[in-house]
Amino acid sequence: MKKIFDAMPLTSYLKEYAAQGTLRAHMPGHKGRSLPELSPPQDAYAWDITEISGADSLFEADGILLAAERRTAAVYGSPACCWSAGGSTLCIQAMLARMRMQNRTVIAARTVHRAFLNACILLGLEVHWVFPRSGGVISGEYAPEDFAQALHAVRGAGKSACVYVTSPDYLGSQHDIAELARLCHAQDAPLLVDNAHGAHLPFLPENRHPMALGADYCCDSAHKMLPALTGAAILHCRSEQEARELKCSMQMFGSTSPSYLIMQSLESCTAYLEQCGREAVSLCAERAGVLRRKLAGKYRFIGTEPLHLTIAADGHDLAAQLRQCGVECEYEDAGFLVLLLSPVMTEEEFAALFRALERCTPSAPVPAPELPPPMQQAYSMRTAALSGWETVKLSQAEGRICGPVQVPCPPAVPIAVSGERLTKPWLTLMEHYGLGEIAVMVQA
Ligand SMILES: Cc1ncc(COP(=O)(O)O)c(C=O)c1O
């Protein structure tokens, strides 16, 4: 058997990683364990089926899948939802398709995941960007009045609008969703929230879920912060009629074979949340708070979302030290390290994480340069991303037009977006994040 596995690099990697017993401070939120009594039997293949009689069909559900989706919506307290086996990526495509059909201009906070950008490119949507007042590429502080101003500008030009924000972002910073919803609704604009990192938010002592705070559409990657298989996500909306319309868009982008194993994990996750969601998520947040307080003299924790344990330090150095202690992190760069916590983590795992952090010595972060003035949008994002492109070194890219965005994942947050004319300060910023080259349009 060993010999066969040797010729299967992915399989041997997974086998070894599982055997190591690493403390997984990264996605998925199940942390490598199934939910007792709620998960498939040992041989998961037995539950991997297709749309046979009685099994319903996700994009036109009217049987067991519709009932299961309604149960998820009820647990979240949202009027309706659609399940996704294609992650939040598919949910983002669907909600933006709806905005395209309504002919709305998208006003977006610049801190977006590349899934947003690619959906805009595929749908031919142009974006009115709002940049953060402070902070950097991955996370920033936004002023609600900047969105109000953008709404006035778009509405003043006789167009209808919508606002799109990512909250929490990769470092765990959150927008003031209630305030944004108020601003949007005063201008007849829906608020769309990429809540990929916040599927657990309704279950904190104070419900911080975007739908509870007034958002109109919101996607949650259940797999990131909760016990669900990778790919399991939820798209919340304001009515069942809307959910049916969103599904029409989902099936334009998604596979015709959404995985029943992923969907079953979403049902398990829903049952888990029903049984003990509030208790488990609140306890996790409380343990995280204790850990932060006990280590406050040694580490500088940032971000407002309790289950994102984000440290301002040289993330590469700290990640290497933690690895030596058997802890694998979610994200590292020269300025930050992110550890993702989950309600399924045990008291022993929290104790082990505490001991590991106590043993490590953080070194000073290398601060990212401030965000330079915005670049000129020389071509539409769609034209630039779907034209011929070539890869050039950053040192040769000044003045060229950004082509398809190829940012590494995590965090997959674009620095320049397709169609922008590249300037030196933005190229310097890319160097800070370790990029060496960039795809640019050939004809420009
Ligand atoms: C902020 C954000 N939005 C959207 C996505 C896409 O989510 P998914 O992987 O569930 O498709 C990610 C993935 O990492 C993300 O970090």
Side-chain angles (χ1 to χ4, degrees):
M1 199 54 158
K2 168 105 178 57
K3 275 229 164 76
I4 298 175
F5 277 176
D6 283 349
M8 298 164 71
L10 169 63
T11 307
S12 7
Y13 177 87
L14 293 173
K15 188 168 176 263
E16 256 170 53
Y17 188 61
Q20 274 164 17
T22 302
L23 200 159
R24 302 181 181 196
H26 57 75
M27 302 166 190
H30 56 62
K31 306 295 174 194
R33 295 185 294 270
S34 56
L35 288 168
E37 299 182 10
L38 294 172
S39 301
Q42 197 86 33
D43 187 359
Y45 279 36
W47 288 19
D48 186 26
I49 58 165
T50 185
E51 288 81 4
I52 50 175
S53 168
D56 211 354
S57 175
L58 184 61
F59 298 129
E60 50 274 329
D62 59 4
I64 54 174
L65 291 176
L66 178 62
E69 285 176 311
R70 284 183 173 153
R71 187 173 171 190
T72 303
V75 170
Y76 273 81
S78 58
C81 80
C82 310
W83 276 7
S84 163
S88 280
T89 301
L90 182 57
C91 304
I92 291 168
Q93 289 165 336
M95 56 185 174
L96 289 174
R98 192 158 167 78
M99 296 304 106
R100 175 77 180 78
M101 288 168 195
Q102 294 173 3
N103 220 6
R104 292 185 187 273
T105 299
V106 184
I107 296 166
R110 178 68 169 215
T111 315
V112 287
H113 188 263
R114 71 174 182 219
F116 167 83
L117 215 59
N118 291 333
C120 290
I121 287 161
L122 292 172
L123 290 161
L125 281 165
E126 283 309 308
V127 180
H128 184 122
W129 295 109
V130 173
F131 286 83
R133 292 279 181 99
S134 62
V137 170
I138 298 171
S139 181
E141 294 288 322
Y142 288 86
E145 53 268 34
D146 292 346
F147 293 93
Q149 219 172 59
L151 279 164
H152 272 115
V154 172
R155 302 264 295 157
K159 296 182 187 159
S160 50
C162 67
V163 169
Y164 179 101
V165 296
T166 304
S167 177
D169 63 27
Y170 222 95
L171 301 189
S173 287
Q174 291 164 290
H175 282 268
D176 183 346
I177 298 293
E179 174 62 3
L180 283 179
R182 197 189 57 73
L183 288 174
C184 285
H185 297 157
Q187 297 284 337
D188 204 19
L191 174 63
L192 286 58
V193 182
D194 173 350
N195 183 49
H197 285 247
H200 59 292
L201 292 178
F203 310 100
L204 288 169
E206 190 191 354
N207 183 351
R208 306 300 299 158
H209 193 261
M211 294 302 281
L213 299 175
D216 298 280
Y217 303 89
C218 163
C219 64
D220 304 349
S221 294
H223 66 92
K224 293 192 195 302
M225 307 300 292
L226 292 173
L229 288 180
T230 299
I234 307 158
L235 173 53
H236 301 272
C237 60
R238 290 267 157 226
S239 72
E240 289 219 341
Q241 173 59 28
E242 240 179 354
R244 279 191 290 278
E245 288 168 14
L246 284 164
K247 285 204 172 195
C248 283
S249 303
M250 277 184 142
Q251 56 84 31
M252 287 170 75
F253 292 103
S255 162
T256 50
S257 308
S259 158
Y260 272 81
L261 289 180
I262 295 176
M263 293 192 282
Q264 190 281 326
S265 81
L266 208 37
E267 186 171 50
S268 292
C269 182
T270 302
Y272 166 83
L273 291 171
E274 245 173 27
Q275 282 170 17
C276 64
R278 189 160 305 282
E279 193 188 315
V281 172
S282 299
L283 181 62
C284 180
E286 192 186 310
R287 285 175 173 157
V290 172
L291 192 142
R292 279 189 183 88
R293 280 195 295 282
K294 289 209 294 202
L295 291 167
K298 182 166 187 179
Y299 292 99
R300 188 157 75 83
F301 296 104
I302 64 146
T304 51
E305 200 297 291
L307 273 53
H308 284 70
L309 199 64
T310 304
I311 298 172
D314 176 341
H316 299 309
D317 174 57
L318 188 55
Q321 293 184 55
L322 282 168
R323 217 161 274 134
Q324 293 294 316
C325 303
V327 176
E328 190 62 38
C329 74
E330 165 66 25
Y331 174 70
E332 56 179 277
D333 69 23
F336 300 102
L337 176 111
V338 182
L339 301 162
L340 288 187
L341 310 176
S342 153
V344 302
M345 281 173 66
T346 60
E347 195 175 356
E348 291 71 38
E349 283 174 314
F350 267 95
L353 182 58
F354 175 75
R355 282 196 302 276
L357 284 166
E358 240 191 345
R359 230 176 296 151
C360 299
T361 309
S363 29
V366 183
E370 279 292 303
L371 282 193
M375 289 168 279
Q376 177 212 1
Q377 188 77 41
Y379 286 78
S380 76
M381 293 203 306
R382 184 178 168 90
T383 302
L386 300 178
S387 299
W389 56 275
E390 60 181 332
T391 301
V392 297
K393 289 199 175 1
L394 290 183
S395 55
Q396 291 158 6
E398 190 177 354
R400 302 289 302 268
I401 308 294
C402 180
V405 168
Q406 298 165 340
V407 276
C409 185
V413 178
I415 302 178
V417 307
S418 310
E420 287 180 334
R421 191 178 296 283
L422 298 161
T423 60
K424 189 122 181 72
W426 283 89
L427 293 164
T428 307
L429 201 53
M430 290 177 200
E431 270 168 31
H432 171 85
Y433 285 105
L435 301 178
E437 354 182 85
I438 183 166
V440 294
M441 284 174 75
V442 278
Q443 59 268 65

